């Protein structure tokens, strides 16, 4: 047996401890570090019951470095932000070498990853691997988005691909494993190299933006069913179980069905009805929306999902609004008529929010000179991550068939679905508006779709107004695109060509 370890994990919180067990189960030798002895002891016990062997844990970084094979491979599983910097500094002081690889797996800001790469060049190999899938994913197979130096990727790839979620190559569906007594799955790994530093965390950020939109649109749909269709929580849960067998099949639809079944043991009411209607956020959705503004990408469904969370936290103000602001009288509708339409509507809105995510990739590629492989990204999101869904297999196929797609909605398989489902989608949103039930993300998705259908938009008037009050000029549809004009709106002097 080798006397040095393959890899180290620093930070034995939920993600770090579970990733350590995942690595151990796949046959890699891991040395683990945490300053919290209780966390170390807990991991030792879990590892022993899993493998029958002791795991080495240390609380000193110099000791950790001595235990590792060269080049050293170290996973950081610590909260994003300054802790990453301080541990990197501590590792340097402890004797980290130029070829050693340190992998940040937190939800770091992608710009921070670029800065860290520059800061540590020549000191050690700073690498990142964004991870999605929460506790169960870390333990049994997450989705992994790696970025940084290609040489580091070649070294890490076998480990990353081993511990990631796996997809059945025939069905395109994840071979799920959620318990130790299930066999280790083999299949297409949900781990891939995304690009240079920054790119991996950008992709993870967009994943989270889409996650926000998916969750918001599901919540809006449930709200429609409860408020307009007067359905019980259990009835809605049964619909979601059904939907999880169809085109909406996904982790978030599945867990919604599960959540809706839980009854509070104290009050015997559905637990959902007792959970405060205020949604928190750690920041990645907000980053995605800000990035969209920065890059000029109309990711309105994602942004509306962030705003919806912001508004949700203003419970006190909403209580005042509920008293003061009038709405229409609610008419109860026939649920049989609406359930299938809601499924079609949610699917259409979902296509639009993913189109927005991929549009962000395309803008970022131009801005940062990255080359992102959309097929690979869709493929690694098919399993392990929070937005995992069979739908991602369709996205991968769409980009495979038409790599130059200007927008995901234009793919044949999606534009046909949007065309055939749009009436149901419009009916649902019109009904929600007439009944006064907010569906901000789903409505934004429809505006996105309708805006992209417009060969002639209303922006000519915006441009005319800009020229009117600010002399900002305009271009004409009947002249060369490089030629600008100003019209003398105030004094009747007519139009003048403007030289640049
Ligand atoms: C994942 C999740 C994970 C986490 C979010 C929650 O991919 O595993 O996205 O990153 O659950 O950060 O984010 P909010 O607190 O902002 O909802």
């Amino acid at each position: 047996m080798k006397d040095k370890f393959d890899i180290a994990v620093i930070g034995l919180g939920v993600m770090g401890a579970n990733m350590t067990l995942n690595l151990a189960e796949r046959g890699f030798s891991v040395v683990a570090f945490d300053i919290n002895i209780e966390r170390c002891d807990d991991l030792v016990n879990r590892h022993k019951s899993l493998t029958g062997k002791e795991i080495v844990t240390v609380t000193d970084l110099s000791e950790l470095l001595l235990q590792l094979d060269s080049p050293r491979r170290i996973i950081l599983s610590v909260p994003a932000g300054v802790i990453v910097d301080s541990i990197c500094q501590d590792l340097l002081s402890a004797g980290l070498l130029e070829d050693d690889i340190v992998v940040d797996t937190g939800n770091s800001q992608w710009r921070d990853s670029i800065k860290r790469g520059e800061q540590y060049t020549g000191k050690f190999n700073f690498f990142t691997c964004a991870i999605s899938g929460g506790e169960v994913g870390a333990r049994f197979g997450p989705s992994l988005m790696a970025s940084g130096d290609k040489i580091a990727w070649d070294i890490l790839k076998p480990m990353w691909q081993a511990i990631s979620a796996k997809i059945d190559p025939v069905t395109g569906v994840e071979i799920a494993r959620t318990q130790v007594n299930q066999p280790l799955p083999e299949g297409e790994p949900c781990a891939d190299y995304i690009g240079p530093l920054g790119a991996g965390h950008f992709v993870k950020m967009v994943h989270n933006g889409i996650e926000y939109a998916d969750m918001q649109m599901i919540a809006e749909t449930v709200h429609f069913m409860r408020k307009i269709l007067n359905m019980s929580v259990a009835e809605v849960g049964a619909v979601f179980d059904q939907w999880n067998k169809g085109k909406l099949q996904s982790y978030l639809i599945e867990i919604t069905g599960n959540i809706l079944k839980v009854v509070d043991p104290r009050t015997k009411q559905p637990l959902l009805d007792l959970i405060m209607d205020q949604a928190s956020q750690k920041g990645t959705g907000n980053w995605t929306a800000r990035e969209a503004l920065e890059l000029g990408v109309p990711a309105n469904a994602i942004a509306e999902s962030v705003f919806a969370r912001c508004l949700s936290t203003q419970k006190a103000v909403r209580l005042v609004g509920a008293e003061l602001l009038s709405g229409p009288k609610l008419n109860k509708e026939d649920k049989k008529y609406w359930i299938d339409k809601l499924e079609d509507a949610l699917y259409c809105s979902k296509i639009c929010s993913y189109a927005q995510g991929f549009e962000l990739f395309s803008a970022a590629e131009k801005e940062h000179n990255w080359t992102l492989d959309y097929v690979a990204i869709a493929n690694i999101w098919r399993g392990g991550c929070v937005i995992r869904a069979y739908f991602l297999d369709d996205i991968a196929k769409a980009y495979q068939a038409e790599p130059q797609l200007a927008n995901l909605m234009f793919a044949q398989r999606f534009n046909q679905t949007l065309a055939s489902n749009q009436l149901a989608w419009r009916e649902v949103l019109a009904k929600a508006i007439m009944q006064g039930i907010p569906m901000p993300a789903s409505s934004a998705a429809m505006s996105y779709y309708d805006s992209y259908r417009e060969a002639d938009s209303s922006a000519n008037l915006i441009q005319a107004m800009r020229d009117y009050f600010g002399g900002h000029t305009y271009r004409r549809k009947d002249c060369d695109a490089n030629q600008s004009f100003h019209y003398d709106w105030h004094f009747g002097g007519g139009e003048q060509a403007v030289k640049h």
Side-chain angles (χ1 to χ4, degrees):
M1 184 183 143
K2 293 191 299 185
D3 52 356
K4 299 262 181 176
F5 291 87
D6 295 324
I7 193 156
V9 175
I10 293 184
L12 302 180
V14 171
M15 297 302 280
N18 282 299
M19 236 186 308
T20 306
L21 294 174
N22 189 348
L23 281 158
E25 199 174 35
R26 286 284 180 176
F28 301 104
S29 61
V30 196
V31 52
F33 170 98
D34 202 295
I35 44 171
N36 181 329
I37 304 283
E38 274 172 26
R39 281 182 171 180
C40 293
D41 291 346
D42 186 45
L43 179 70
V44 169
N45 295 333
R46 286 179 71 193
H47 185 270
K48 184 139 196 198
S49 65
L50 179 73
T51 62
K53 294 185 212 139
E54 296 288 339
I55 188 169
V56 175
T57 62
V58 293
T59 53
D60 177 89
L61 289 179
S62 311
E63 171 66 14
L64 181 93
L65 295 188
L66 286 175
Q67 304 271 4
L68 286 166
D69 226 357
S70 185
R72 298 177 180 114
R73 283 151 283 183
I74 301 170
I75 292 176
L76 299 187
S77 182
V78 297
V82 287
I83 299 185
V84 176
D85 298 302
S86 82
I87 294 197
C88 286
Q89 287 305 335
D90 292 348
L91 280 166
L92 271 172
S93 311
L96 207 61
L97 299 174
E98 190 175 349
D99 288 341
D100 293 342
I101 304 165
V102 175
V103 190
D104 176 20
T105 62
N107 259 338
S108 291
Q109 229 293 346
W110 65 273
R111 290 175 205 272
D112 288 346
S113 304
I114 295 178
K115 272 192 231 139
R116 289 183 182 123
E118 287 162 2
Q119 185 182 349
Y120 300 126
T121 302
K123 295 179 178 153
F124 64 90
N125 199 338
F126 181 80
F127 195 81
T128 69
C129 186
I131 174 165
S132 177
E135 178 177 358
V136 175
R139 176 64 187 85
F140 295 109
S143 174
L144 296 167
M145 292 146 263
S147 65
D149 175 36
K150 267 275 196 185
I151 295 170
W153 170 243
D154 289 340
I155 294 169
L156 296 166
K157 187 175 170 182
M159 286 188 197
W160 264 212
Q161 297 202 328
I163 66 167
S164 74
K166 303 289 182 309
I167 302 295
D168 183 323
V170 178
T171 61
V173 174
E174 182 177 1
I175 311 165
R177 178 172 183 256
T178 50
Q179 279 163 19
V180 179
N181 53 14
Q182 294 168 319
L184 287 174
E186 297 304 331
E188 292 172 5
C190 295
D192 216 335
Y193 180 76
I194 303 292
L197 277 175
H201 270 106
F202 186 93
V203 168
K204 174 62 183 14
M205 176 196 76
V206 172
H207 164 284
N208 280 31
I210 294 173
E211 173 185 309
Y212 272 54
D214 261 347
M215 291 166 75
Q216 178 62 28
M217 289 165 177
I218 289 173
E220 290 171 6
T221 306
V222 171
H223 214 49
F224 186 112
M225 293 180 185
R226 300 294 314 281
K227 297 266 179 174
I228 302 179
L229 306 184
N230 209 16
M231 291 170 69
S232 69
V233 172
E235 278 180 302
V236 179
V239 171
F240 273 77
D241 290 348
Q242 202 51 42
W243 284 359
N244 199 38
K245 296 180 188 135
K247 61 187 172 197
L248 286 171
Q249 180 278 325
S250 62
Y251 172 70
L252 287 170
I253 294 287
E254 178 191 335
I255 67 166
T256 303
N258 295 344
I259 289 166
L260 294 169
K261 280 188 210 77
V262 176
V263 173
D264 172 47
R266 273 194 283 157
T267 62
K268 311 291 179 231
Q269 289 182 52
L271 181 61
L272 181 69
D273 284 346
L274 297 163
I275 294 177
M276 182 59 86
D277 51 335
Q278 294 181 309
S280 309
Q281 47 181 317
K282 291 207 197 101
T284 45
N286 178 308
W287 295 346
T288 317
R290 278 201 263 174
E291 204 61 54
L293 287 173
E294 201 67 40
L295 291 167
V297 172
N300 60 353
I302 293 175
E304 281 295 348
S305 308
V306 181
F307 294 142
R309 288 202 196 185
C310 302
L311 210 153
S312 81
T313 61
Q314 300 194 36
K315 177 87 173 173
V317 186
R318 284 193 285 121
L319 287 171
V320 177
E323 291 292 326
L324 282 179
L325 304 175
S326 68
K329 195 172 157 306
L330 269 176
N331 297 318
K332 300 295 176 214
E333 293 281 332
D334 173 25
K335 61 181 182 235
K336 279 204 192 74
Y337 179 82
W338 286 103
I339 298 297
D340 289 350
K341 292 187 190 302
L342 283 164
E343 184 182 21
D344 289 347
L346 183 52
Y347 191 72
C348 290
S349 300
K350 190 176 167 83
I351 294 173
C352 294
S353 70
Y354 281 70
Q356 294 175 13
F358 280 82
E359 211 188 318
L360 273 162
F361 292 155
S362 152
E365 283 183 294
K366 290 183 196 113
E367 182 75 14
H368 307 296
N369 208 13
W370 294 333
T371 305
L372 301 175
D373 181 341
Y374 300 175
V375 176
I377 294 169
N379 274 336
I380 60 174
W381 284 353
R382 287 178 302 172
C385 65
V386 174
I387 63 169
R388 61 185 180 262
Y390 182 66
F391 175 63
L392 265 317
D393 197 56
D394 280 338
I395 296 182
K397 288 191 179 117
Y399 280 114
Q400 224 155 20
E402 298 170 80
Q404 302 308 326
L405 267 179
N407 187 296
L408 184 65
M409 294 184 296
F410 301 170
Q412 207 187 15
R413 63 183 66 220
F414 294 126
N415 76 47
Q416 281 174 355
T417 307
L418 286 162
S420 57
N421 290 356
Q422 64 164 311
L423 272 183
W425 191 21
R426 291 182 194 285
E427 237 186 293
V428 164
L429 290 170
K431 178 56 71 183
I433 288 171
M434 290 312 290
Q435 297 268 37
I437 299 301
M439 297 187 74
S442 314
S443 311
M446 171 155 281
S447 297
Y448 177 80
Y449 174 69
D450 281 337
S451 300
Y452 268 108
R453 291 188 315 103
E454 285 213 301
D456 271 311
S457 79
S458 59
N460 49 353
L461 180 57
I462 307 289
Q463 203 56 7
M465 286 193 270
R466 291 182 72 248
D467 189 55
Y468 193 115
F469 59 67
H472 295 297
T473 76
Y474 52 86
R475 285 180 291 124
R476 292 181 59 112
K477 292 174 183 173
D478 54 359
C479 292
D480 188 284
N482 296 317
Q483 179 68 64
S484 293
F485 298 90
H486 168 62
Y487 190 83
D488 185 3
W489 306 93
H490 301 280
F491 304 110
E495 187 181 71
Q496 280 174 2
V498 179
K499 290 202 178 73
H500 292 290

Short mmCIF file of all heavy atoms in Angstrom, two decimals, residues 341-368:
data_model
loop_
_atom_site.label_atom_id
_atom_site.label_comp_id
_atom_site.label_asym_id
_atom_site.label_seq_id
_atom_site.Cartn_x
_atom_site.Cartn_y
_atom_site.Cartn_z
N LYS A 341 -53.13 22.20 -19.16
CA LYS A 341 -52.68 23.50 -19.67
C LYS A 341 -51.55 24.05 -18.80
O LYS A 341 -50.58 24.64 -19.29
CB LYS A 341 -53.83 24.52 -19.69
CG LYS A 341 -54.91 24.18 -20.70
CD LYS A 341 -55.92 25.30 -20.78
CE LYS A 341 -57.15 24.90 -21.60
NZ LYS A 341 -56.92 24.50 -22.96
N LEU A 342 -51.67 23.82 -17.49
CA LEU A 342 -50.60 24.28 -16.58
C LEU A 342 -49.29 23.55 -16.86
O LEU A 342 -48.21 24.13 -16.79
CB LEU A 342 -51.02 24.08 -15.12
CG LEU A 342 -52.02 25.12 -14.59
CD1 LEU A 342 -52.68 24.61 -13.31
CD2 LEU A 342 -51.33 26.46 -14.34
N GLU A 343 -49.41 22.28 -17.18
CA GLU A 343 -48.19 21.50 -17.49
C GLU A 343 -47.52 22.07 -18.74
O GLU A 343 -46.31 22.30 -18.77
CB GLU A 343 -48.56 20.03 -17.70
CG GLU A 343 -47.35 19.14 -17.94
CD GLU A 343 -47.72 17.68 -18.20
OE1 GLU A 343 -48.89 17.42 -18.59
OE2 GLU A 343 -46.83 16.82 -18.04
N ASP A 344 -48.33 22.34 -19.78
CA ASP A 344 -47.78 22.91 -21.02
C ASP A 344 -47.18 24.29 -20.76
O ASP A 344 -46.11 24.63 -21.28
CB ASP A 344 -48.89 23.05 -22.08
CG ASP A 344 -49.34 21.70 -22.62
OD1 ASP A 344 -48.65 20.71 -22.35
OD2 ASP A 344 -50.40 21.66 -23.28
N ALA A 345 -47.88 25.08 -19.94
CA ALA A 345 -47.42 26.45 -19.67
C ALA A 345 -46.08 26.42 -18.93
O ALA A 345 -45.14 27.15 -19.27
CB ALA A 345 -48.46 27.19 -18.84
N LEU A 346 -45.99 25.55 -17.93
CA LEU A 346 -44.75 25.48 -17.15
C LEU A 346 -43.59 25.02 -18.05
O LEU A 346 -42.47 25.54 -17.97
CB LEU A 346 -44.95 24.51 -15.97
CG LEU A 346 -43.80 24.35 -14.98
CD1 LEU A 346 -43.31 25.69 -14.45
CD2 LEU A 346 -44.23 23.46 -13.80
N TYR A 347 -43.89 24.10 -18.95
CA TYR A 347 -42.85 23.61 -19.85
C TYR A 347 -42.36 24.74 -20.77
O TYR A 347 -41.16 24.90 -20.99
CB TYR A 347 -43.39 22.42 -20.66
CG TYR A 347 -42.32 21.69 -21.43
CD1 TYR A 347 -41.40 20.90 -20.75
CD2 TYR A 347 -42.21 21.79 -22.81
CE1 TYR A 347 -40.39 20.23 -21.44
CE2 TYR A 347 -41.22 21.12 -23.50
CZ TYR A 347 -40.31 20.34 -22.81
OH TYR A 347 -39.32 19.68 -23.49
N CYS A 348 -43.28 25.53 -21.30
CA CYS A 348 -42.89 26.64 -22.19
C CYS A 348 -42.05 27.66 -21.43
O CYS A 348 -41.02 28.13 -21.93
CB CYS A 348 -44.13 27.34 -22.75
SG CYS A 348 -45.02 26.36 -23.94
N SER A 349 -42.49 28.00 -20.22
CA SER A 349 -41.74 28.98 -19.42
C SER A 349 -40.33 28.45 -19.14
O SER A 349 -39.34 29.20 -19.16
CB SER A 349 -42.45 29.27 -18.10
OG SER A 349 -43.73 29.79 -18.34
N LYS A 350 -40.27 27.16 -18.89
CA LYS A 350 -38.97 26.52 -18.60
C LYS A 350 -38.03 26.62 -19.81
O LYS A 350 -36.85 26.95 -19.65
CB LYS A 350 -39.25 25.05 -18.23
CG LYS A 350 -38.07 24.28 -17.67
CD LYS A 350 -38.56 22.89 -17.28
CE LYS A 350 -37.40 21.95 -17.00
NZ LYS A 350 -36.86 22.06 -15.65
N ILE A 351 -38.55 26.37 -20.98
CA ILE A 351 -37.70 26.48 -22.19
C ILE A 351 -37.11 27.89 -22.25
O ILE A 351 -35.92 28.07 -22.51
CB ILE A 351 -38.53 26.21 -23.48
CG1 ILE A 351 -39.01 24.76 -23.52
CG2 ILE A 351 -37.69 26.51 -24.73
CD1 ILE A 351 -39.98 24.45 -24.67
N CYS A 352 -37.93 28.90 -21.95
CA CYS A 352 -37.44 30.29 -22.04
C CYS A 352 -36.38 30.58 -20.99
O CYS A 352 -35.39 31.26 -21.28
CB CYS A 352 -38.60 31.27 -21.88
SG CYS A 352 -39.75 31.15 -23.24
N SER A 353 -36.54 30.08 -19.78
CA SER A 353 -35.52 30.42 -18.76
C SER A 353 -34.20 29.73 -19.09
O SER A 353 -33.13 30.30 -18.88
CB SER A 353 -36.01 30.11 -17.35
OG SER A 353 -36.08 28.74 -17.15
N TYR A 354 -34.24 28.52 -19.64
CA TYR A 354 -32.99 27.87 -20.05
C TYR A 354 -32.38 28.60 -21.24
O TYR A 354 -31.17 28.74 -21.35
CB TYR A 354 -33.22 26.38 -20.36
CG TYR A 354 -33.32 25.55 -19.10
CD1 TYR A 354 -34.42 25.66 -18.25
CD2 TYR A 354 -32.30 24.67 -18.73
CE1 TYR A 354 -34.50 24.93 -17.08
CE2 TYR A 354 -32.38 23.93 -17.56
CZ TYR A 354 -33.48 24.07 -16.74
OH TYR A 354 -33.57 23.34 -15.57
N ALA A 355 -33.25 29.09 -22.14
CA ALA A 355 -32.74 29.85 -23.28
C ALA A 355 -31.99 31.08 -22.77
O ALA A 355 -30.94 31.46 -23.29
CB ALA A 355 -33.90 30.27 -24.18
N GLN A 356 -32.51 31.68 -21.70
CA GLN A 356 -31.84 32.86 -21.13
C GLN A 356 -30.49 32.48 -20.54
O GLN A 356 -29.50 33.21 -20.68
CB GLN A 356 -32.74 33.50 -20.07
CG GLN A 356 -34.00 34.06 -20.70
CD GLN A 356 -35.01 34.63 -19.71
OE1 GLN A 356 -34.71 34.83 -18.54
NE2 GLN A 356 -36.20 34.90 -20.20
N GLY A 357 -30.43 31.33 -19.87
CA GLY A 357 -29.16 30.87 -19.30
C GLY A 357 -28.12 30.67 -20.39
O GLY A 357 -26.97 31.12 -20.29
N PHE A 358 -28.52 30.00 -21.48
CA PHE A 358 -27.57 29.73 -22.56
C PHE A 358 -27.23 31.01 -23.32
O PHE A 358 -26.12 31.14 -23.86
CB PHE A 358 -28.08 28.61 -23.48
CG PHE A 358 -27.84 27.24 -22.88
CD1 PHE A 358 -28.72 26.72 -21.94
CD2 PHE A 358 -26.72 26.49 -23.23
CE1 PHE A 358 -28.49 25.48 -21.34
CE2 PHE A 358 -26.48 25.24 -22.64
CZ PHE A 358 -27.37 24.74 -21.70
N GLU A 359 -28.14 31.97 -23.33
CA GLU A 359 -27.83 33.26 -23.96
C GLU A 359 -26.74 33.97 -23.14
O GLU A 359 -25.87 34.65 -23.71
CB GLU A 359 -29.11 34.11 -24.00
CG GLU A 359 -29.15 35.03 -25.19
CD GLU A 359 -30.31 36.02 -25.18
OE1 GLU A 359 -31.44 35.65 -24.83
OE2 GLU A 359 -30.06 37.18 -25.53
N LEU A 360 -26.80 33.79 -21.83
CA LEU A 360 -25.74 34.36 -20.99
C LEU A 360 -24.39 33.74 -21.33
O LEU A 360 -23.36 34.44 -21.35
CB LEU A 360 -26.06 34.10 -19.51
CG LEU A 360 -26.93 35.15 -18.84
CD1 LEU A 360 -27.55 34.62 -17.55
CD2 LEU A 360 -26.13 36.41 -18.55
N PHE A 361 -24.38 32.46 -21.60
CA PHE A 361 -23.11 31.81 -21.98
C PHE A 361 -22.56 32.43 -23.25
O PHE A 361 -21.36 32.72 -23.36
CB PHE A 361 -23.31 30.30 -22.23
CG PHE A 361 -23.65 29.51 -21.01
CD1 PHE A 361 -24.35 28.32 -21.11
CD2 PHE A 361 -23.29 29.95 -19.75
CE1 PHE A 361 -24.68 27.59 -19.99
CE2 PHE A 361 -23.61 29.23 -18.61
CZ PHE A 361 -24.31 28.04 -18.74
N SER A 362 -23.46 32.63 -24.20
CA SER A 362 -23.00 33.13 -25.49
C SER A 362 -22.42 34.55 -25.34
O SER A 362 -21.36 34.87 -25.90
CB SER A 362 -24.18 33.04 -26.44
OG SER A 362 -24.11 33.97 -27.43
N ALA A 363 -23.08 35.39 -24.52
CA ALA A 363 -22.57 36.75 -24.31
C ALA A 363 -21.24 36.71 -23.56
O ALA A 363 -20.31 37.47 -23.86
CB ALA A 363 -23.60 37.56 -23.54
N ALA A 364 -21.14 35.81 -22.59
CA ALA A 364 -19.90 35.73 -21.79
C ALA A 364 -18.73 35.24 -22.65
O ALA A 364 -17.59 35.68 -22.48
CB ALA A 364 -20.11 34.79 -20.60
N GLU A 365 -19.03 34.33 -23.58
CA GLU A 365 -17.96 33.84 -24.47
C GLU A 365 -17.34 35.01 -25.24
O GLU A 365 -16.12 35.11 -25.34
CB GLU A 365 -18.54 32.85 -25.49
CG GLU A 365 -18.82 31.49 -24.93
CD GLU A 365 -19.33 30.55 -26.01
OE1 GLU A 365 -20.44 30.79 -26.51
OE2 GLU A 365 -18.61 29.61 -26.35
N LYS A 366 -18.22 35.88 -25.76
CA LYS A 366 -17.72 37.02 -26.55
C LYS A 366 -16.96 37.98 -25.64
O LYS A 366 -15.89 38.47 -26.00
CB LYS A 366 -18.89 37.76 -27.22
CG LYS A 366 -19.52 36.93 -28.31
CD LYS A 366 -20.63 37.69 -29.03
CE LYS A 366 -21.47 36.70 -29.83
NZ LYS A 366 -22.83 36.54 -29.34
N GLU A 367 -17.51 38.24 -24.49
CA GLU A 367 -16.93 39.24 -23.59
C GLU A 367 -15.58 38.77 -23.01
O GLU A 367 -14.66 39.55 -22.85
CB GLU A 367 -17.94 39.49 -22.46
CG GLU A 367 -17.53 40.53 -21.44
CD GLU A 367 -17.64 41.96 -21.96
OE1 GLU A 367 -18.27 42.17 -23.01
OE2 GLU A 367 -17.06 42.85 -21.30
N HIS A 368 -15.49 37.47 -22.68
CA HIS A 368 -14.31 37.00 -21.96
C HIS A 368 -13.42 36.08 -22.81
O HIS A 368 -12.48 35.49 -22.28
CB HIS A 368 -14.73 36.27 -20.68
CG HIS A 368 -15.65 37.10 -19.83
ND1 HIS A 368 -15.24 38.28 -19.25
CD2 HIS A 368 -16.95 36.94 -19.51
CE1 HIS A 368 -16.27 38.81 -18.59
NE2 HIS A 368 -17.31 38.02 -18.73
#
